[in-house]
Amino acid sequence: MPHLNIAIDGPAGAGKSTVAKALARRLGILYVDTGAMYRGVAWLALKHGVAVEREDELVELLQRHPLHFERNSDGGLDIYSDGQCINAELRNPQVSALVSQLSVHPRVRGVLTEWQRSFARRHSVVMDGRDVGTVVLPDAQVKVFLTASLEERTRRRAEEFQSKGYEMSLEELRTSIVERDERDSSRDVAPLRPASDAHPIDSTGRTVEDVVREILELVERCR
Ligand code: DC
């Protein structure tokens, strides 16, 4: 198969990671979750007591404790810090509350963007995030901007939180999603927005399989 890069961007809870993972599995290519990398930085900041406003200290922290990635049997990447797999820690509420605050820093983004591009150079990938189609992989063959209604995104997050045993009311979840989208869309560097050549898909009320099928048709068309 020729080298293929697929970019999937969109707001929190739109179903990006579920769709991207299923798509990567169908195509037999690597799934790269860029949000998990930003979450990894937030986890490091919490662990080492670095304030998310301190860009220089965050960059230094990443130099001292770089994140490592290993391909897992699921077709995605496990994230390691100092030899410890931290996947299970990345979606906890403390990390979620901090992550979009540190995502505004251009130098932090620069480090992560390089890691992301390096995966896409070496492998065919489905990569999801906020700026994949606009900044990380502007030449991706297929770009999707995935959305869903706020109600549906809140409900999906609530199910995810429940399954992990985290306590948060629907109202708190809705507020946190709105705040995160607002911060991700309004930052100066690499804000959340569709690439001009992205294909918009609204996943409200649709199954994962149905959305994956629509993207597979786009992939077929570009071959
Ligand atoms: O996709 P996610 O919810 O795991 O992403 C967590 C945060 O990381 C998101 O609120 C903003 C940031 N992020 C980003 O700025 N750029 C990306 N490409 C991916 C995530």
Side-chain angles (χ1 to χ4, degrees):
M1 188 173 69
H3 194 77
L4 177 65
N5 286 165
I6 301 175
I8 301 185
D9 292 302
K16 299 183 299 293
S17 54
T18 312
V19 165
K21 208 182 284 174
L23 183 65
R25 198 173 303 131
R26 284 284 287 273
L27 293 165
I29 64 179
L30 180 66
Y31 164 52
V32 180
D33 175 355
T34 64
M37 296 183 181
Y38 286 91
R39 288 172 181 271
V41 183
W43 182 87
L44 273 177
L46 278 168
K47 180 172 181 205
H48 295 276
V50 173
V52 287
E53 299 80 32
R54 312 294 287 258
E55 181 171 21
D56 287 352
E57 290 179 29
L58 289 170
V59 173
E60 239 174 69
L61 183 63
L62 274 176
Q63 283 161 354
R64 270 186 291 125
H65 301 274
L67 298 171
H68 292 282
F69 306 93
E70 277 186 26
R71 197 167 182 159
N72 59 34
S73 55
D74 229 16
L77 296 170
D78 286 335
I79 303 192
Y80 288 81
S81 168
D82 295 322
Q84 178 197 353
C85 178
I86 59 170
N87 284 13
E89 324 268 347
L90 298 181
R91 305 196 75 83
N92 76 39
Q94 294 95 309
V95 166
S96 300
L98 288 182
V99 62
S100 68
Q101 297 176 49
L102 62 80
S103 312
V104 300
H105 300 310
R107 291 178 58 219
V108 172
R109 300 198 70 83
V111 174
L112 270 52
T113 297
E114 245 340 287
W115 291 345
Q116 293 154 13
R117 285 182 180 152
S118 145
F119 279 111
R121 270 194 300 270
R122 288 178 287 132
H123 306 274
S124 285
V125 296
V126 180
M127 189 178 285
D128 76 352
R130 304 293 187 288
D131 62 339
V132 181
T134 50
V135 173
V136 182
L137 304 177
D139 296 328
Q141 290 97 325
V142 175
K143 297 182 188 177
V144 170
F145 196 78
L146 192 65
T147 56
S149 70
L150 180 59
E151 286 317 302
E152 180 135 343
R153 296 192 288 127
T154 306
R155 194 180 49 70
R156 288 177 188 162
R157 270 292 135 91
E159 278 170 13
E160 182 191 337
F161 268 44
Q162 244 170 13
S163 71
K164 297 201 161 107
Y166 302 139
E167 296 274 328
M168 222 166 161
S169 72
L170 271 185
E171 198 42 52
E172 284 172 313
L173 269 175
R174 185 181 297 110
T175 306
S176 77
I177 287 177
V178 170
E179 282 175 1
R180 201 138 66 85
D181 287 349
E182 170 60 25
R183 223 177 280 125
D184 291 343
S185 308
S186 61
R187 65 177 174 233
D188 292 335
V189 189
L192 166 68
R193 62 175 173 78
S196 57
D197 50 352
H199 183 90
I201 298 181
D202 184 344
S203 70
T204 311
R206 295 179 64 183
T207 63
V208 173
E209 202 35 52
D210 191 28
V211 174
V212 168
R213 197 174 317 118
E214 182 171 344
I215 303 175
L216 283 171
E217 282 168 17
L218 298 174
V219 172
E220 277 309 310
R221 253 186 263 158
C222 82
R223 276 182 172 166

